Amino acid sequence: MNDATLLAVDDLSVRFHTRHGVVEAVRGVSFALGRERLGIVGESGSGKSVTGRAILRLVPPPGEVRAKRIAFDGTDLMQCDEVAMRDIRGRRIAMVMQDPKFSLNPVMTVGRQIAEAYRAHGQGSVAAGRDRALDMLAAVRIRDPARVYDLYPHEVSGGMGQRIMIAMMLAPDPDLLIADEPTSALDVTVQMQVLAILDDLVRQRGMGLIFISHDLNLVASFCDRVLIMYAGRVVETCRAAELAAARHPYTQGLLQSLPRVDVPRAELPTLMRDPAWRDGKLP
Amino acid sequence: MIEVENLSVVFGHGAKTVHAVRGITFHVAAGEVFGLVGESGSGKSTVLRALCGLAPASAGRIAIAGEMQGKRRDRAFYKRVQMVFQDPYASLHPRHTVDRILSEPIAIHGLGDADARIDSALADVGLGPTFRFRYPHQLSGGQRQRVAIARALILEPKILLLDEPTSSLDVSVQAEILNLLTRLKREHGLTYVLVSHNLAVIAHMCARLVVMNAGRIVEEMTVDQLRAGAPREAYTRQLLRASIGYDRAAAAEMVTFD
Ligand SMILES: Nc1ncnc2c1ncn2[C@@H]1O[C@H](COP(=O)(O)OP(=O)(O)OP(=O)(O)O)[C@@H](O)[C@H]1O
Ligand SMILES: Nc1ncnc2c1ncn2[C@@H]1O[C@H](COP(=O)(O)OP(=O)(O)OP(=O)(O)O)[C@@H](O)[C@H]1O
Ligand SMILES: [Mg+2]
Ligand SMILES: [Mg+2]
């Protein structure tokens, strides 16, 4: 891990004003990211995706984002206007969204979408865009890139859609990648190969990676550090390799609920939530 | 309960032809949980879609509960067979509330008691009644998948085709959904076909599974063989290695099988 800080999030809060009251999706989250692989885990609704989107200022109204500072490479993103953000999004900070097919344009072939993502920020001719897109499709282990280039989003499988999104986000060579469940639809062998690409980008190019995932075993084996989120807060931070020894009963509860290949169990333990976890300190 | 003989599915034509499924055969007994695993793009979703008439079988036979299935499926079929789709966002109408999403099948099938059915289906998947009036974009990924499962359960089907039902869920909700599926199966004698790339989920739920690669079944195994880590095929061995966790060196050794 390299300690040069790439991103520093200071006291981030996001709330949604809905007809049925205020949803406090993120409540005072702070963390710093170097040129490393930072995992964010936590139960559904704990605020992982909203945290990722808030960094890119992609929280739609009625969402309200507050933070003391979101410092990215010397710039406070909270002070940037939409024009400045548009320049940062994609080129400097890219995000692979949790619902790949929803993020793809349904009426444009997937290859063209990757080519345009590349060309939108750089210069590059049409032909260079096409070459880059084909290379990226091959890099994410898509079989037969030339065929897949011409497919529309509804013609690709779930796991192909995810890899297409990853290819599209990596095409402009971002400094920071926020990957929201980027491999949840991939079979484990392809997942491992795609993670190796991200791993190499972090180690060799110094890209920063925020890796949002439910897969605790995967995060433990892949990331450098992990933030564990509960009800919009970070309740615990630890080295990824030490996740199994996490101290918070919530983290332990998550680990216990995993099914295992080696040990059959009639019923899986589920979380017994303690109201004290919402605001309490680490026990 | 489900008999698939020599099923093939071909998409497109000319240069865009894809043989998504190439002559596969498997049988699922009533009350069984049958697993489908395999590489991304190997045809798992297509097999489920063909079972419920959403993908065209170009060859082969499908029989469900002893009845041969043709191209079309009637309304009674969908009361018996329901599918939970892989992509929870795409499968929920973006401008319909949860209430409307869940009411529709009740109305189409002329069932009464909509309110009670909706509340109990939501409760079954761990969502309170306040979720009835939310739109899909106001839900987290896991909450959306729970709504998709609630919609499949609402018609009380006999066969559930589950395409990666928990891959977008957190592990605690996954445990709740797997426990729920186990309980429903026991109480209602359901039959499941379960697609998952998570071998631990497959081992937990299934008695038997098949491993698919490039449209074919490469290996059929019992869960005991899976637990013992003794697959016959090289592709399955690679799958087992990858399921242990990330390892850069192991990633470099992964090969593509055809
Ligand atoms: N547009 C919105 N309007 C209202 N509430 C929202 C909106 N977007 C998100 N939320 C709420 O904010 C909370 C955090 O959502 P978020 O999507 O960050 O969860 P998550 O941790 O990513 O969950 P998952 O693992 O299921 O994807 C949830 O309670 C969700 O319902
Ligand atoms: N409507 C379609 N038109 C053209 N090709 C299709 C269509 N649906 C699926 N395919 C192709 O069929 C093959 C199998 O796709 P399928 O969705 O069944 O894979 P899968 O095993 O479910 O993969 P994943 O694990 O990634 O979801 C892929 O090559 C895909 O591109
Ligand atoms: Mg999310
Ligand atoms: Mg699929």
Side-chain angles (χ1 to χ4, degrees), chain B residues 154-231:
Chain B
I154 213 153
L155 293 176
E156 299 172 12
K158 283 289 165 212
I159 297 176
L160 261 192
L161 307 176
L162 300 154
D163 197 354
E164 302 279 8
T166 60
S167 67
S168 66
L169 302 182
D170 75 73
V171 293
S172 176
V173 181
Q174 166 171 285
E176 284 166 25
I177 298 279
L178 295 180
N179 288 343
L180 164 75
L181 290 171
T182 305
R183 192 190 85 220
L184 290 170
K185 177 177 122 60
R186 193 173 54 231
E187 289 173 359
H188 304 281
L190 300 180
T191 304
Y192 298 149
V193 181
L194 172 63
V195 171
S196 177
H197 55 78
N198 185 327
L199 291 183
V201 167
I202 293 283
H204 179 72
M205 295 295 293
C206 304
R208 271 186 323 129
L209 60 138
V210 291
V211 181
M212 287 186 69
N213 188 36
R216 295 197 179 83
I217 291 177
V218 296
E219 182 160 11
E220 176 166 341
M221 59 201 302
T222 64
V223 74
D224 292 331
Q225 287 169 317
L226 177 69
R227 287 193 199 286

Side-chain angles (χ1 to χ4, degrees), chain A residues 14 16-18 23-26 42-53 59-63 98 180-181 212-214 229, chain B residues 131 134 137-144 146 168-170:
Chain A
V14 183
F16 292 97
H17 301 271
T18 71
V23 178
E24 293 195 81
V26 179
E43 65 177 349
S44 177
S46 59
K48 305 180 298 293
S49 299
V50 171
T51 298
R53 291 208 305 265
V59 174
Q98 189 167 6
D180 193 356
E181 299 280 0
I212 299 172
S213 176
H214 289 129
M229 286 191 71
Chain B
F131 281 90
R134 291 219 201 168
H137 76 269
Q138 295 171 326
L139 304 172
S140 75
Q143 290 164 343
R144 286 199 285 270
R146 287 188 263 175
S168 66
L169 302 182
D170 75 73

Side-chain angles (χ1 to χ4, degrees), chain A residues 43-44 99 101 143 147 159 163 184 186-187 196 199-200 214 216 221 254 258-259 261 264-265 268 270-271, chain B residues 18 38-40 87 140 142 144 168-172 174 176 179 197 200 204 227 246 248 254 256-258:
Chain A
E43 65 177 349
S44 177
D99 295 291
K101 293 213 179 156
R143 291 182 178 211
R147 174 180 74 85
R163 281 176 287 165
S184 61
L186 299 184
D187 71 275
D199 190 2
D200 293 348
H214 289 129
L216 291 121
S221 59
L254 291 177
L258 290 170
V261 174
R265 287 193 286 189
L268 298 167
T270 53
L271 268 188
Chain B
V18 188
E39 197 182 54
S40 174
D87 188 344
S140 75
R144 286 199 285 270
S168 66
L169 302 182
D170 75 73
V171 293
S172 176
Q174 166 171 285
E176 284 166 25
N179 288 343
H197 55 78
H204 179 72
R227 287 193 199 286
Y246 178 74
R248 183 68 188 80
M254 302 261 145
T256 302
F257 291 86
D258 280 302

Side-chain angles (χ1 to χ4, degrees), chain A residues 41-270:
Chain A
V41 301
E43 65 177 349
S44 177
S46 59
K48 305 180 298 293
S49 299
V50 171
T51 298
R53 291 208 305 265
I55 293 168
L56 274 175
R57 307 265 311 280
L58 283 177
V59 174
E64 180 197 332
V65 179
R66 288 169 189 232
K68 292 204 182 96
R69 220 165 48 101
I70 301 180
F72 168 70
D73 198 18
T75 309
D76 184 357
L77 301 181
M78 289 303 288
Q79 306 300 328
C80 288
D81 59 13
E82 185 52 30
V83 177
M85 278 315 296
R86 240 177 272 155
D87 200 43
I88 289 173
R89 276 186 216 125
R91 191 172 62 87
R92 310 261 353 250
I93 308 179
M95 181 162 179
V96 177
M97 297 284 178
Q98 189 167 6
D99 295 291
K101 293 213 179 156
F102 181 66
S103 318
L104 289 168
N105 179 346
V107 296
M108 195 194 282
T109 65
V110 297
R112 245 188 85 196
Q113 293 187 56
I114 301 171
E116 295 205 350
Y118 170 66
R119 294 183 61 226
H121 301 285
Q123 319 65 44
S125 62
V126 174
R130 187 185 160 84
D131 288 346
R132 177 78 176 162
L134 288 170
D135 286 348
M136 292 308 300
L137 285 171
V140 293
R141 301 292 186 276
I142 295 270
R143 291 182 178 211
D144 201 355
R147 174 180 74 85
V148 173
Y149 187 99
D150 290 318
L151 296 182
Y152 288 91
H154 74 274
E155 296 175 324
V156 303
S157 77
M160 287 160 79
Q162 277 194 330
R163 281 176 287 165
I164 286 159
M165 279 303 296
I166 293 171
M168 193 160 133
M169 293 303 136
L170 291 179
D173 250 340
D175 299 298
L176 169 61
L177 179 70
I178 303 170
D180 193 356
E181 299 280 0
T183 61
S184 61
L186 299 184
D187 71 275
V188 286
T189 54
V190 173
Q191 166 171 278
M192 189 112 118
Q193 292 170 307
V194 169
L195 292 181
I197 301 169
L198 301 181
D199 190 2
D200 293 348
L201 287 171
V202 173
R203 286 172 199 253
Q204 291 162 16
R205 263 213 29 248
M207 183 179 81
L209 175 66
I210 297 178
F211 187 80
I212 299 172
S213 176
H214 289 129
D215 192 333
L216 291 121
N217 286 329
L218 186 69
V219 167
S221 59
F222 176 64
C223 292
D224 300 300
R225 278 191 309 135
V226 197
L227 308 180
I228 296 113
M229 286 191 71
Y230 179 74
R233 289 173 69 231
V234 174
V235 294
E236 185 169 14
T237 307
C238 68
R239 285 176 46 78
E242 288 156 12
L243 185 62
R247 289 162 57 208
H248 201 288
Y250 165 64
T251 317
Q252 279 303 329
L254 291 177
L255 288 164
Q256 292 307 318
S257 61
L258 290 170
R260 295 175 53 165
V261 174
D262 48 347
V263 195
R265 287 193 286 189
E267 192 154 346
L268 298 167
T270 53

Side-chain angles (χ1 to χ4, degrees), chain B residues 5-192:
Chain B
E5 304 283 347
N6 255 316
L7 175 71
S8 291
V9 179
V10 178
F11 291 109
H13 46 262
K16 282 183 82 176
T17 305
V18 188
H19 293 269
V21 177
R22 302 163 183 255
I24 71 166
T25 297
F26 64 88
H27 296 197
V28 183
E32 191 179 9
V33 184
F34 184 77
L36 273 180
V37 304
E39 197 182 54
S40 174
S42 62
K44 305 179 296 295
S45 298
T46 304
V47 169
L48 295 195
R49 298 174 73 87
L51 282 175
C52 58
L54 298 173
S58 55
R61 299 185 312 141
I62 297 172
I64 290 183
E67 286 173 31
M68 284 296 294
Q69 301 296 322
K71 275 205 166 51
R72 283 166 194 275
R73 305 285 192 273
D74 56 13
R75 193 177 290 174
F77 177 87
Y78 292 108
K79 182 116 181 31
R80 195 184 305 149
V81 183
Q82 279 286 314
M83 176 154 169
V84 174
F85 292 91
Q86 182 167 6
D87 188 344
Y89 207 103
S91 72
L92 299 180
H93 194 295
R95 280 184 298 280
H96 288 177
T97 59
V98 169
D99 187 70
R100 174 137 180 226
I101 289 166
L102 297 180
S103 316
E104 231 151 41
I106 300 175
I108 290 172
H109 291 268
L111 306 174
D113 260 351
D115 273 339
R117 279 177 196 269
I118 291 171
D119 281 341
S120 97
L122 283 175
D124 267 345
V125 296
L127 296 174
T130 56
F131 281 90
R132 277 179 71 164
F133 300 99
R134 291 219 201 168
Y135 289 90
H137 76 269
Q138 295 171 326
L139 304 172
S140 75
Q143 290 164 343
R144 286 199 285 270
Q145 184 63 312
R146 287 188 263 175
V147 171
I149 292 174
R151 180 180 53 186
L153 291 175
I154 213 153
L155 293 176
E156 299 172 12
K158 283 289 165 212
I159 297 176
L160 261 192
L161 307 176
L162 300 154
D163 197 354
E164 302 279 8
T166 60
S167 67
S168 66
L169 302 182
D170 75 73
V171 293
S172 176
V173 181
Q174 166 171 285
E176 284 166 25
I177 298 279
L178 295 180
N179 288 343
L180 164 75
L181 290 171
T182 305
R183 192 190 85 220
L184 290 170
K185 177 177 122 60
R186 193 173 54 231
E187 289 173 359
H188 304 281
L190 300 180
T191 304
Y192 298 149

